[in-house]
Amino acid sequence: MSEEKTKAELLKEKLFIKKEHTSAVIGEKGNREADSFAEGYMSYLDASKTERESVETALEMAKAGGFTEFDKSVRYPAGSKVYVNNRGKSLILAVIGHKDIKEGVSIAAAHVDSPRLDLKPNPLYEDSDIAYFKTHYYGGIKKYQWTAIPLALHGVIIKADGEEVKVNIGEDAADPKFVITDLLPHLAGNQMRSTMAEGIKGEALNIVIGSRPFDNTEGAEAVKLNILNILYEKYGITEADFLSAELEAVPAFSACDIGFDRSLIGSYGHDDRVCAYPALMAALDCEEPDYTCVTVLTDKEETGSEGNTGLDSKYLEYFICDLASIYGAEGRDVLSASKCLSADVNAAFDPNFPEVFERRNTSFINQGVCITKYTGARGKGGTSDASAEFMGEIRRLLDKEGICWQTGELGKIDEGGGGTVAKYIAHLNVDVVDLGVPVLSMHAPFEVVSKTDVYMAYKAFLAFFSR
């Protein structure tokens, strides 16, 4: 039989969209590079369970890579690397380029906050000889997923005298863990007849933190007293100090390989650290670019980007204005000429739940980074819709650099929707489109991504900075 391709086959190759497994494109060498890159990413995840820790870890890496604190009175030469630390919860890294700043800058913006459980301002109580922390969930979660799993406690406490106390309990093997209990199935008939949203109430997400009374004596709130005494001896804090604390309960899981072939990564916090880390590494590996490159690791995206460490605030705009003034330019002119990749994830197609996806317009694991032209809900509400011109520019760049990419929407039109920081970047008159990694089990305490997709994200951000 002839192995020559038919006219139809040749025409299909020319005209149809090509969907290929990333491993088939990058080969064994590329797979090894992806696996190596994933090792660094997994270490970053384990060190960065909160937005504060993400910024702290990134800043340590940036300083080791030659970044210095930005001084708006200094005229920096090309190749200079500077940073702005916004309250320890968001970070800007910039590499000064050769081109006139008036020609715009290249921005990659990712968020480093993830869904979690925050302690309430007055969290500690005792009930039936068990001590608990009351929580207020942060971001979009399925509440039932946070029961019956080991939890760790991270954050900071500001004492009455102003001293800062850092807290990180539950990550080391020798550390105690914490947990939210759930009903046994034998008694959960009514619960299991409830909807998933109603099966666990927000006010029932109370974390078990102890059960032994102080000095083994009985009495009202003796268990609570014992816990407060332990905390006082370890940290020097009192119950009132919880009022000036930011304490977050997160899964006490470490990032790990998934699958016999170790091709996937399971972890808490892929959304959106799976884009933050590649964008960070692209900034560290960018040397003397043509356009000034700016990486933003921001906070508060999961709650609408509001607050002074989220991108609905002015801190990025202020930095661009300060940078522009150094070189005699107007900030608004620089922003209007700038381009941005909003580095955020999309939902990967899950064969267990095909009914919520529109398969022709969905991203898939192991098919590369996903370009999301728009997010929002239903009639594109609450989104930035990237222009055809900018989509074309990014498409050409990725093709030129041999980067595996795909497009996708966040499920079927009427199933729900979501948002990213893209609309806040667009508000500054910047051309922007979402580009990120497809994720399985997004917003769960344990999410899954592909190693090759993570590596493609790094290559995409580095190519964007090097254009």
Side-chain angles (χ1 to χ4, degrees):
M1 180 182 292
S2 172
E3 293 185 2
E4 290 187 14
K5 294 181 180 180
T6 66
K7 182 178 179 180
E9 289 171 335
L10 292 171
L11 202 55
K12 284 182 179 180
E13 288 184 2
K14 180 180 179 180
L15 299 180
F16 281 16
I17 290 177
K18 295 180 178 63
K19 293 189 175 183
E20 299 178 278
H21 196 293
T22 48
S23 292
V25 177
I26 65 178
E28 285 301 317
K29 181 176 180 293
N31 281 333
R32 288 194 298 271
E33 291 173 351
D35 290 347
S36 177
F37 188 81
E39 290 179 7
Y41 171 53
M42 292 164 73
S43 296
Y44 176 79
L45 281 173
D46 289 342
S48 308
K49 289 286 187 79
T50 70
E51 73 288 349
R52 287 180 181 271
E53 292 172 351
S54 298
V55 167
E56 184 178 354
T57 303
L59 188 53
E60 289 176 1
M61 295 169 65
K63 288 179 178 178
F67 283 77
T68 59
E69 189 169 8
F70 176 65
D71 183 344
K72 62 182 180 181
S73 68
V74 175
R75 186 180 180 91
Y76 293 97
S80 298
K81 300 180 177 183
V82 298
Y83 71 84
V84 173
N85 181 358
N86 182 15
R87 296 172 170 83
K89 295 198 285 185
S90 56
L91 180 68
I92 298 174
L93 304 176
V95 183
I96 307 302
H98 285 278
K99 287 183 177 290
D100 191 325
I101 196 82
K102 294 177 183 177
E103 296 188 43
V105 301
S106 302
I107 304 170
H111 68 90
V112 289
D113 61 318
S114 295
R116 60 180 190 253
L117 304 178
D118 288 344
L119 297 200
K120 289 190 175 186
N122 186 19
L124 180 54
Y125 74 101
E126 177 184 334
D127 191 340
S128 305
D129 295 330
I130 301 175
Y132 293 93
F133 277 147
K134 292 200 70 67
T135 70
H136 192 134
Y137 61 89
Y138 173 98
I141 67 169
K142 291 181 175 179
K143 294 185 285 291
Y144 71 87
Q145 292 180 330
W146 289 77
T147 65
I149 63 171
L151 299 172
L153 194 64
H154 295 239
V156 296
I157 302 170
I158 307 301
K159 296 165 62 175
D161 62 2
E163 179 188 353
E164 179 184 277
V165 177
K166 290 187 177 181
V167 176
N168 186 328
I169 307 172
E171 299 297 344
D172 292 339
D175 282 355
K177 308 294 190 287
F178 310 96
V179 71
I180 298 168
T181 56
D182 195 4
L183 268 177
L184 63 162
H186 312 68
L187 300 177
N190 287 334
Q191 182 194 48
M192 290 192 291
R193 283 189 288 272
S194 302
T195 66
M196 284 184 174
E198 296 171 342
I200 299 292
K201 303 290 187 182
E203 292 295 349
L205 293 173
N206 302 315
I207 302 172
V208 175
I209 59 171
S211 66
R212 185 169 293 168
F214 177 73
D215 204 22
N216 297 320
T217 60
E218 294 187 8
E221 299 190 302
V223 177
K224 174 181 174 179
L225 177 61
N226 192 42
I227 297 302
L228 281 172
N229 185 57
I230 291 170
L231 293 174
Y232 183 75
E233 290 181 347
K234 183 174 177 62
Y235 298 113
I237 63 170
T238 68
E239 186 174 15
D241 290 324
F242 285 111
L243 297 171
S244 52
E246 290 183 0
L247 294 171
E248 304 170 13
V250 297
F253 307 140
S254 296
C256 64
D257 292 337
I258 297 291
F260 288 114
D261 57 4
R262 298 178 178 269
S263 61
L264 306 170
I265 305 170
S267 178
Y268 164 69
H270 283 315
D271 180 12
D272 183 39
R273 295 172 193 128
V274 74
C275 297
Y277 180 77
L280 166 64
M281 293 306 296
L284 298 183
D285 292 342
C286 183
E287 300 289 343
E288 297 200 19
D290 285 340
Y291 294 94
T292 293
C293 298
V294 178
T295 292
V296 186
L297 305 182
T298 194
D299 184 24
K300 302 297 185 188
E301 192 276 343
E302 297 294 359
T303 56
S305 294
E306 296 171 330
N308 56 13
T309 55
L311 272 185
D312 195 24
S313 76
K314 297 284 190 179
Y315 76 89
L316 174 60
E317 181 181 355
Y318 291 164
F319 169 72
I320 297 297
C321 288
D322 287 341
L323 189 64
S325 68
I326 292 173
Y327 302 98
E330 292 287 342
R332 63 183 183 183
D333 294 331
V334 175
L335 285 165
S336 297
S338 295
K339 303 178 188 298
C340 175
L341 293 181
S342 170
D344 211 337
V345 299
N346 204 326
F349 179 81
D350 191 332
N352 288 319
F353 308 99
E355 65 277 3
V356 299
F357 297 95
E358 196 271 282
R359 195 170 186 129
R360 292 179 59 84
N361 290 283
T362 295
S363 62
F364 291 81
I365 287 285
N366 284 316
Q367 289 192 10
V369 291
C370 177
I371 302 175
T372 306
K373 188 176 187 292
Y374 49 81
T375 55
R378 296 172 174 84
K380 297 187 180 180
T383 185
S384 164
D385 194 342
S387 70
E389 292 84 355
F390 192 49
M391 286 286 290
E393 180 178 339
I394 298 303
R395 172 186 167 195
R396 288 191 299 274
L397 174 67
L398 299 181
D399 285 343
K400 176 185 174 184
E401 298 299 327
I403 296 164
C404 300
W405 63 276
Q406 57 186 314
T407 61
E409 293 186 350
L410 191 60
K412 288 182 176 178
I413 295 171
D414 292 331
E415 286 294 337
T420 68
V421 301
K423 66 179 182 180
Y424 304 107
I425 300 290
H427 184 71
L428 300 174
N429 198 30
V430 175
D431 279 323
V432 59
V433 69
D434 284 296
L435 182 148
V437 176
V439 178
L440 290 168
S441 299
M442 189 194 297
H443 278 220
F446 194 75
E447 303 168 312
V448 177
V449 298
S450 158
K451 291 181 179 179
T452 52
D453 291 341
V454 177
Y455 186 53
M456 287 298 112
Y458 162 72
K459 294 191 69 175
F461 296 131
L462 186 59
F464 180 63
F465 284 163
S466 303
R467 64 190 172 92

